[in-house]
Amino acid sequence: MEHTLAMLRKYEQLGFSNLIASPHVMVDMYTNTPRLIKKQLAAVIKSSEAANINLTLAAAAEYMLDEGFGDLLENNTLLPIGDNRVLIEFGFYASPFNLDELVFQIQAAGLQPIIAHPERYRYYFRDITDLRNLHKRGSSLQINLLSLGGYYGKRVAALARQLLENNLVDYLGTDAHSIDHLQKIEALLNDRKVCKLIQSHQFKNHELLSA
Ligand SMILES: [Fe+2]
């Protein structure tokens, strides 16, 4: 909680007003349930109010499309952002073999997928056709703020820019796992080139607040 409050103070200082936390859900590793996430959110809200932190907080989750995901979808135990958006991520080295089928199933369940940090997946470095097709078929893309500054390497930064140039990016996320990430974001926000790049694109983050 101490670390969380330190992060929230930093977010406030950076000018954020609303946050949607998205803790990982991965089979056998991060078995966060909607119930647990909501319980922890309530505890964080209580502590942040007591600490006079002026932020509106919400929570959803970031779902790895692993062998556990099908059950979560089938049992209707996903925690969406707003009513129907669900944040999903893939393995960094290989995409799920049944990706198209899973995305179709998510959409058939009335949910709209948001693909987390597509710029970090190596298998899209050379060719964005698959991402273009996913976007065309109704998946949204969210890139990480730190990707633009080269935090994850040059190729990730290049792909993030390419996706922006092709108007395929819907949302910008911090993906901050620690105060350390927020300090790096703070430094990045002093980088004129990166700020210009961010300001020249229309992100839809605000739509998630009323979703
Ligand atoms: Fe992720």
Side-chain angles (χ1 to χ4, degrees):
M1 186 59 82
E2 206 178 306
H3 193 136
T4 300
L5 292 178
M7 287 180 74
L8 295 180
R9 270 188 212 102
K10 182 54 88 179
Y11 269 117
E12 193 184 19
Q13 189 197 330
L14 291 175
F16 284 77
S17 54
N18 292 266
L19 299 179
I20 304 171
S22 51
H24 285 290
V25 177
M26 288 180 196
V27 73
D28 297 336
M29 199 157 161
Y30 300 107
T31 51
N32 288 315
T33 60
R35 193 190 155 108
L36 179 63
I37 294 169
K38 284 178 189 167
K39 192 176 147 204
Q40 298 298 69
L41 172 66
V44 170
I45 289 175
K46 200 173 165 197
S47 295
S48 74
E49 282 174 358
N52 284 319
I53 293 169
N54 191 21
L55 286 170
T56 303
L57 305 175
E62 179 183 18
Y63 292 96
M64 177 62 82
L65 292 198
D66 55 23
E67 58 272 31
F69 182 78
D71 283 347
L72 297 178
L73 183 61
E74 208 167 294
N75 301 331
N76 205 10
T77 45
L78 298 173
L79 184 59
I81 299 171
D83 281 343
N84 67 349
R85 288 168 170 97
V86 60
L87 185 64
I88 56 172
E89 67 175 334
F90 319 148
F92 286 113
Y93 298 99
S95 65
F97 72 95
N98 53 347
L99 177 57
D100 287 342
E101 193 187 319
L102 283 173
V103 167
F104 177 79
Q105 285 171 4
I106 293 169
Q107 291 171 320
L111 298 165
Q112 188 185 328
I114 299 176
I115 299 170
H117 43 65
E119 75 279 10
R120 295 188 63 195
Y121 305 135
R122 306 177 64 94
Y123 38 90
Y124 297 135
F125 282 172
R126 279 163 186 258
D127 186 358
I128 61 167
T129 309
D130 287 349
L131 286 174
R132 210 187 273 284
N133 287 334
L134 283 161
H135 196 257
K136 210 186 283 175
R137 291 199 303 266
S139 292
S140 303
L141 304 187
Q142 169 173 284
I143 63 167
N144 286 359
L145 195 44
L146 284 176
S147 295
L148 293 171
Y151 178 72
Y152 306 99
K154 279 188 186 161
R155 297 197 77 176
V156 172
L159 181 50
R161 279 161 207 252
Q162 190 188 359
L163 294 174
L164 282 174
E165 282 157 14
N166 283 274
N167 281 322
L168 293 171
V169 181
D170 302 282
Y171 306 107
L172 187 59
T174 66
D175 208 354
H177 285 57
S178 63
I179 188 86
D180 179 55
H181 282 153
L182 290 178
Q183 281 156 353
K184 291 199 165 67
I185 285 170
E186 185 172 30
L188 188 73
L189 294 176
N190 288 318
D191 181 325
R192 260 199 215 158
K193 271 190 193 164
V194 172
C195 285
K196 219 173 154 188
L197 192 62
I198 295 169
Q199 281 161 0
S200 62
H201 289 273
Q202 291 281 338
F203 297 100
K204 301 180 190 164
N205 288 47
H206 60 281
E207 289 180 9
L208 298 176
L209 302 178
S210 51

PDB file of all heavy atoms in Angstrom, residues 29 45 57 88 94 110 144 157 159 162 180 211:
ATOM      1  N   MET A  29      -0.136 -17.996 -12.203  1.00  0.00           N
ATOM      2  CA  MET A  29       0.852 -16.998 -11.803  1.00  0.00           C
ATOM      3  C   MET A  29       0.192 -15.808 -11.118  1.00  0.00           C
ATOM      4  O   MET A  29       0.505 -15.491  -9.978  1.00  0.00           O
ATOM      5  CB  MET A  29       1.610 -16.547 -13.041  1.00  0.00           C
ATOM      6  CG  MET A  29       2.900 -15.894 -12.721  1.00  0.00           C
ATOM      7  SD  MET A  29       3.934 -16.051 -14.170  1.00  0.00           S
ATOM      8  CE  MET A  29       5.108 -14.811 -13.866  1.00  0.00           C
ATOM      9  N   ILE A  45      -8.659   2.963  -2.627  1.00  0.00           N
ATOM     10  CA  ILE A  45      -9.438   4.214  -2.631  1.00  0.00           C
ATOM     11  C   ILE A  45      -9.513   4.778  -1.211  1.00  0.00           C
ATOM     12  O   ILE A  45      -9.296   5.971  -0.990  1.00  0.00           O
ATOM     13  CB  ILE A  45     -10.851   3.982  -3.225  1.00  0.00           C
ATOM     14  CG1 ILE A  45     -10.742   3.755  -4.739  1.00  0.00           C
ATOM     15  CG2 ILE A  45     -11.766   5.171  -2.939  1.00  0.00           C
ATOM     16  CD1 ILE A  45     -12.053   3.383  -5.429  1.00  0.00           C
ATOM     17  N   LEU A  57     -10.131   6.701  -9.139  1.00  0.00           N
ATOM     18  CA  LEU A  57      -9.530   5.385  -9.383  1.00  0.00           C
ATOM     19  C   LEU A  57     -10.564   4.348  -9.787  1.00  0.00           C
ATOM     20  O   LEU A  57     -11.664   4.302  -9.252  1.00  0.00           O
ATOM     21  CB  LEU A  57      -8.824   4.894  -8.110  1.00  0.00           C
ATOM     22  CG  LEU A  57      -7.775   5.841  -7.521  1.00  0.00           C
ATOM     23  CD1 LEU A  57      -7.253   5.297  -6.197  1.00  0.00           C
ATOM     24  CD2 LEU A  57      -6.624   6.021  -8.499  1.00  0.00           C
ATOM     25  N   ILE A  88      -6.301  -7.195 -23.260  1.00  0.00           N
ATOM     26  CA  ILE A  88      -5.663  -8.512 -23.434  1.00  0.00           C
ATOM     27  C   ILE A  88      -4.207  -8.331 -23.854  1.00  0.00           C
ATOM     28  O   ILE A  88      -3.839  -7.336 -24.460  1.00  0.00           O
ATOM     29  CB  ILE A  88      -6.406  -9.374 -24.493  1.00  0.00           C
ATOM     30  CG1 ILE A  88      -6.506  -8.623 -25.841  1.00  0.00           C
ATOM     31  CG2 ILE A  88      -7.786  -9.774 -23.991  1.00  0.00           C
ATOM     32  CD1 ILE A  88      -7.053  -9.474 -26.988  1.00  0.00           C
ATOM     33  N   ALA A  94       5.834 -15.304 -29.132  1.00  0.00           N
ATOM     34  CA  ALA A  94       4.975 -16.014 -30.085  1.00  0.00           C
ATOM     35  C   ALA A  94       3.527 -15.628 -29.802  1.00  0.00           C
ATOM     36  O   ALA A  94       3.105 -15.583 -28.641  1.00  0.00           O
ATOM     37  CB  ALA A  94       5.156 -17.523 -29.940  1.00  0.00           C
ATOM     38  N   GLY A 110     -19.771 -10.272 -26.722  1.00  0.00           N
ATOM     39  CA  GLY A 110     -20.208  -8.887 -26.541  1.00  0.00           C
ATOM     40  C   GLY A 110     -19.135  -7.980 -25.966  1.00  0.00           C
ATOM     41  O   GLY A 110     -19.422  -6.878 -25.498  1.00  0.00           O
ATOM     42  N   ASN A 144       2.292   1.668 -25.095  1.00  0.00           N
ATOM     43  CA  ASN A 144       2.849   2.147 -23.823  1.00  0.00           C
ATOM     44  C   ASN A 144       3.577   3.463 -24.029  1.00  0.00           C
ATOM     45  O   ASN A 144       4.340   3.608 -24.990  1.00  0.00           O
ATOM     46  CB  ASN A 144       3.876   1.151 -23.272  1.00  0.00           C
ATOM     47  CG  ASN A 144       3.239  -0.076 -22.695  1.00  0.00           C
ATOM     48  OD1 ASN A 144       2.021  -0.196 -22.685  1.00  0.00           O
ATOM     49  ND2 ASN A 144       4.059  -1.002 -22.221  1.00  0.00           N
ATOM     50  N   ALA A 157      10.292   1.083 -30.120  1.00  0.00           N
ATOM     51  CA  ALA A 157       9.988   2.504 -30.355  1.00  0.00           C
ATOM     52  C   ALA A 157       9.580   2.720 -31.811  1.00  0.00           C
ATOM     53  O   ALA A 157       8.619   3.447 -32.096  1.00  0.00           O
ATOM     54  CB  ALA A 157      11.207   3.362 -30.015  1.00  0.00           C
ATOM     55  N   LEU A 159       8.260   0.542 -33.908  1.00  0.00           N
ATOM     56  CA  LEU A 159       6.932  -0.021 -34.185  1.00  0.00           C
ATOM     57  C   LEU A 159       5.828   0.855 -33.580  1.00  0.00           C
ATOM     58  O   LEU A 159       4.782   1.072 -34.203  1.00  0.00           O
ATOM     59  CB  LEU A 159       6.838  -1.466 -33.667  1.00  0.00           C
ATOM     60  CG  LEU A 159       5.515  -2.192 -33.899  1.00  0.00           C
ATOM     61  CD1 LEU A 159       5.051  -2.101 -35.348  1.00  0.00           C
ATOM     62  CD2 LEU A 159       5.612  -3.659 -33.480  1.00  0.00           C
ATOM     63  N   GLN A 162       5.388   3.635 -35.907  1.00  0.00           N
ATOM     64  CA  GLN A 162       4.758   3.165 -37.149  1.00  0.00           C
ATOM     65  C   GLN A 162       3.244   2.988 -36.954  1.00  0.00           C
ATOM     66  O   GLN A 162       2.445   3.358 -37.807  1.00  0.00           O
ATOM     67  CB  GLN A 162       5.400   1.837 -37.574  1.00  0.00           C
ATOM     68  CG  GLN A 162       4.985   1.390 -38.961  1.00  0.00           C
ATOM     69  CD  GLN A 162       5.471  -0.022 -39.291  1.00  0.00           C
ATOM     70  OE1 GLN A 162       6.144  -0.672 -38.469  1.00  0.00           O
ATOM     71  NE2 GLN A 162       5.141  -0.503 -40.460  1.00  0.00           N
ATOM     72  N   ASP A 180       9.374   3.489 -10.116  1.00  0.00           N
ATOM     73  CA  ASP A 180      10.495   3.620 -11.034  1.00  0.00           C
ATOM     74  C   ASP A 180      10.029   3.923 -12.468  1.00  0.00           C
ATOM     75  O   ASP A 180      10.564   4.793 -13.152  1.00  0.00           O
ATOM     76  CB  ASP A 180      11.253   2.288 -10.960  1.00  0.00           C
ATOM     77  CG  ASP A 180      12.434   2.257 -11.866  1.00  0.00           C
ATOM     78  OD1 ASP A 180      13.257   3.164 -11.731  1.00  0.00           O
ATOM     79  OD2 ASP A 180      12.522   1.353 -12.720  1.00  0.00           O
ATOM     80  N   ALA A 211     -17.115   4.766 -20.356  1.00  0.00           N
ATOM     81  CA  ALA A 211     -17.476   3.487 -21.002  1.00  0.00           C
ATOM     82  C   ALA A 211     -18.334   2.635 -20.068  1.00  0.00           C
ATOM     83  O   ALA A 211     -18.184   2.677 -18.872  1.00  0.00           O
ATOM     84  CB  ALA A 211     -16.228   2.715 -21.385  1.00  0.00           C
TER      85      ALA A 211
END
